[in-house]
Amino acid sequence: MRPTRWLFWGCTALYLGVGLYLTVGQGFVLGDALSRVSAARSVWFSRDPHLAAIGFVFTPLTALVQLPAVLLSHWWPGLTSWAVTGVLMSAPFMAGAVVQIYKIGADRGCPVWLIWTVTAVFALNPMIVFYGGNGMSEASFLAMMCWATRRLIRWCTTDDIHDLLAAGFALGLAYLARYDALAAGLAVTVFVFAVTVLRRGWRNRRAQMRPALLDAVLVGLPTAMAFFVWATVSWLITGQALQQFSSTYGNASILAQSGGGSTDTVDAVLFSAAESLVLGPALPLLVPIAAALAWRRRDLETLAAVVVLTSVLGFATYSYAHGMTFPFLRFYLCALPLMAVLALQLVPAGDPLVERRRGPSGFVRARFAGAPTVPAALAAALVVLTPAVTGASMLSPTLSSQQYALRSVVFPSSTDTSDRRETERRILASFSTERELARYLDALALPEGSVLMDTVYGFAVYTATERPRTFVIPSDQDFTSVLNRPAEHGVQFLLAVPNSGRGESDAVNRRYPTLYETGADIATLELEVPNDGQDQPTWRLYRVL
């Protein structure tokens, strides 16, 4: 078996094992991952099953890949209640990212020991392990970005149209995983156009514009198509092309309701720089050294890697500085593959690349004479200690607001009664109350369409129930009419959350603003359920009059 196959399946098993331990074993489930599971489940098991139920606020790749596994939740509901289908999705994607890092080193002709060192450091980095096993979109996005980086690096040498098309296809898929890929798609398109023009000479610029434009279109078209097709389908079905910005469930509304965006540009830029550095602490040394060596060797491969990955980091910095996103460490995850690729680029190119069809500007690399011991040792030394830095930073509430509860998983303590430890325990208990609420409602054996709720917070209830058709949710085409006249449509219960913060976007609260406090003269309080999870609402179950 090829080394890459052993590497892929070994990493998949590792990330799958860690993910199952964190989710099923410790109950550590991130809300974004569970909400994607809920979207996939509504496609199969809602009262109105259809593919559009997957939603258009977030890009669809993460949920679409889970559809086959989610189908099995009809027999094993635990697959969705613990976000296991998300783990089954993210583990192989992150393993694919690891394989691409290995192949970048192999394409470069680096020493075998250096390839394995850099690959192992990347694969075992705590952030890579964590996001390889938690069902978030970062795994699929990183896999596509590493694939695009490798293919663009190859194209700089081979000028092979197959490498260019593969890079463009990877960027298109990356957009379907995260919106950040739009920045990378634009940057790569400009880079390819400039490289094609420059390496064919300036004497006859008009004649060179046609192949340059063709190359730019080939690499940029998949991302452009992914953007326009997704926006068009959203507009045709929902009437809104960019729901991420215009919908009450979108990121802009979430920021307004939660107050998570930055208000100081300088502080935001400094914070973004700190986030990139804790993920890639070797970058301040690697970047100038790799740049100097690339200039000396006239090596475009280093620049290709920088263009792909720093465009995402730049977009994350810009977004946070302008108050468009949250201060999450995961948005800067591309610093990790950038560090790994630059470490491999310190070594002079070795064996010639194997290409399918060399382009007119391609060339055969000459094998480097002698063992590149010094740059290889320097590269290994710069990256080998970085997982420790990243791991320590992940336990900081300031730098890692979504991961620091891992301290109570890695270093549990039954005697520590500090406020921080209690907060970590509550984070680990997130969605446990929703699972209990789902069991309570299931035990009532209610008929179809008996419970009406929005999935702003209710997604965790929906993923845990064994009777999903009991619930009326926003993806149902009759949701609005049922919401307006619940009693006439056979609704017996309304699930309500406080009409504040994220609860302001809850459709039930928007229709009945006083429901949570008074019942809005349409229902009486049946049950109040205090929440064990951190930043999770106290639920109220109202019986419809």
Side-chain angles (χ1 to χ4, degrees):
M1 185 180 289
R2 294 179 180 178
T4 51
R5 293 183 181 178
W6 285 107
L7 182 62
F8 175 80
W9 290 113
C11 289
T12 299
L14 170 64
Y15 302 147
L16 186 61
V18 171
L20 292 176
Y21 173 74
L22 290 175
T23 54
V24 181
Q26 297 295 320
F28 194 177
V29 180
L30 295 184
D32 282 355
L34 198 60
S35 67
R36 304 304 193 279
V37 177
S38 175
R41 198 177 198 208
S42 65
V43 171
W44 293 119
F45 301 115
S46 65
R47 295 170 52 255
D48 180 23
H50 56 287
L51 187 58
I54 207 168
F56 294 93
V57 173
F58 300 101
T59 45
L61 182 63
T62 305
L64 284 174
V65 173
Q66 294 184 54
L67 287 178
V70 167
L71 184 60
L72 300 177
S73 68
H74 178 72
W75 297 277
W76 299 292
L79 288 174
T80 55
S81 61
W82 297 99
V84 174
T85 60
V87 177
L88 294 173
M89 174 276 302
S90 62
F93 267 124
M94 194 62 85
V98 174
V99 170
Q100 292 302 317
I101 295 297
Y102 174 90
K103 287 187 173 182
I104 289 173
D107 288 344
R108 183 75 177 173
C110 296
V112 174
W113 67 267
L114 177 62
I115 297 174
W116 281 106
T117 298
V118 172
T119 303
V121 169
F122 177 80
L124 299 177
N125 186 283
M127 279 291 283
I128 295 297
V129 175
F130 181 62
Y131 280 93
N134 64 10
M136 296 284 282
S137 60
E138 272 62 34
S140 55
F141 177 69
L142 209 62
M144 297 304 110
M145 294 306 296
C146 290
W147 184 22
T149 300
R150 173 177 169 249
R151 285 297 195 162
L152 190 63
I153 288 174
R154 287 177 55 89
W155 174 80
C156 289
T157 297
T158 64
D159 195 28
D160 188 344
I161 192 174
H162 298 92
D163 289 323
L164 194 62
L165 286 172
F169 185 68
L171 290 169
L173 288 177
Y175 176 78
L176 296 180
R178 287 191 61 84
Y179 289 110
D180 310 46
L182 202 60
L186 178 61
V188 169
T189 301
V190 174
F191 172 78
V192 167
F193 176 83
V195 168
T196 302
V197 169
L198 289 174
R199 65 185 178 184
R200 294 193 179 210
W202 285 90
R203 291 185 177 180
N204 190 355
R205 281 179 288 179
R206 287 189 177 182
Q208 303 307 332
M209 284 296 173
R210 181 174 296 177
L213 285 172
L214 180 59
D215 284 350
V217 168
L218 286 175
V219 77
L221 187 60
T223 305
M225 287 293 295
F227 173 82
F228 285 111
V229 169
W230 181 243
T232 301
V233 172
S234 175
W235 176 70
L236 289 173
I237 294 177
T238 69
Q240 296 175 323
L242 300 174
Q243 288 208 10
Q244 178 76 328
F245 306 101
S246 58
S247 171
T248 55
Y249 302 106
N251 193 66
S253 295
I254 294 173
L255 281 166
Q257 295 152 10
S258 306
S262 170
T263 56
D264 188 293
T265 302
V266 175
D267 287 345
V269 172
L270 292 176
F271 177 83
S272 297
E275 298 285 77
S276 298
L277 285 177
V278 299
L279 289 172
L283 287 175
L285 290 174
L286 282 172
V287 170
I289 295 173
L293 291 175
W295 178 265
R296 181 180 177 183
R297 300 167 186 158
R298 298 295 189 267
D299 189 353
L300 282 173
E301 294 183 1
T302 301
L303 183 58
V306 170
V307 167
V308 177
L309 299 170
T310 58
S311 61
V312 177
L313 297 175
F315 179 78
T317 302
Y318 175 86
S319 299
Y320 183 54
H322 286 76
M324 298 163 57
T325 189
F326 292 92
F328 292 159
L329 183 61
R330 59 188 174 94
F331 293 158
Y332 305 88
L333 205 55
C334 278
L336 280 169
L338 177 62
M339 181 178 61
V341 174
L342 289 182
L344 296 170
Q345 297 289 340
L346 294 188
V347 179
D351 295 330
L353 282 170
V354 177
E355 67 253 6
R356 294 184 63 180
R357 187 177 66 192
R358 192 186 316 156
S361 299
F363 58 92
V364 179
R365 293 188 314 205
R367 181 176 177 82
F368 179 74
T373 306
V374 174
L378 177 62
L382 287 174
V383 301
V384 75
L385 297 178
T386 57
V389 177
T390 302
S393 302
M394 288 175 66
L395 305 183
S396 165
T398 302
L399 294 172
S400 185
S401 59
Q402 290 187 300
Q403 291 80 222
Y404 73 91
L406 284 169
R407 187 182 69 146
S408 290
V409 176
V410 180
F411 307 109
S413 175
S414 58
T415 59
D416 189 346
T417 59
S418 64
D419 291 342
R420 176 178 170 181
R421 185 69 76 168
E422 178 60 25
T423 299
E424 292 171 359
R425 293 191 183 106
R426 287 180 62 85
I427 292 174
L428 295 180
S430 293
F431 312 119
S432 60
T433 300
E434 284 74 12
R435 287 190 289 271
E436 291 297 328
L437 183 55
R439 293 190 192 100
Y440 172 82
L441 293 171
D442 287 347
L444 298 179
L446 298 168
E448 179 180 320
S450 296
V451 182
L452 188 145
M453 70 174 181
D454 199 344
T455 49
V456 171
Y457 284 109
F459 63 85
V461 177
Y462 190 74
T463 55
T465 181
E466 296 182 9
R467 303 167 65 93
R469 295 180 68 86
T470 300
F471 296 87
V472 182
I473 57 177
S475 63
D476 296 337
Q477 294 188 24
D478 62 348
F479 177 78
T480 301
S481 60
V482 175
L483 180 63
N484 286 329
R485 296 178 177 82
E488 293 182 13
H489 289 84
V491 173
Q492 298 183 30
F493 294 102
L494 300 173
L495 266 177
V497 296
N499 193 8
S500 60
R502 289 290 311 281
E504 293 177 2
S505 63
D506 187 287
V508 179
N509 281 334
R510 285 185 283 123
R511 178 62 180 86
Y512 305 106
T514 61
L515 174 69
Y516 187 81
E517 298 296 336
T518 68
D521 296 328
I522 65 165
T524 58
L525 183 63
E526 179 83 7
L527 185 69
E528 182 172 278
V529 187
N531 212 306
D532 295 331
Q534 182 71 12
D535 299 325
Q536 293 296 108
T538 294
W539 288 93
R540 287 183 178 176
L541 181 67
Y542 277 93
R543 182 182 291 272
V544 176
L545 295 175

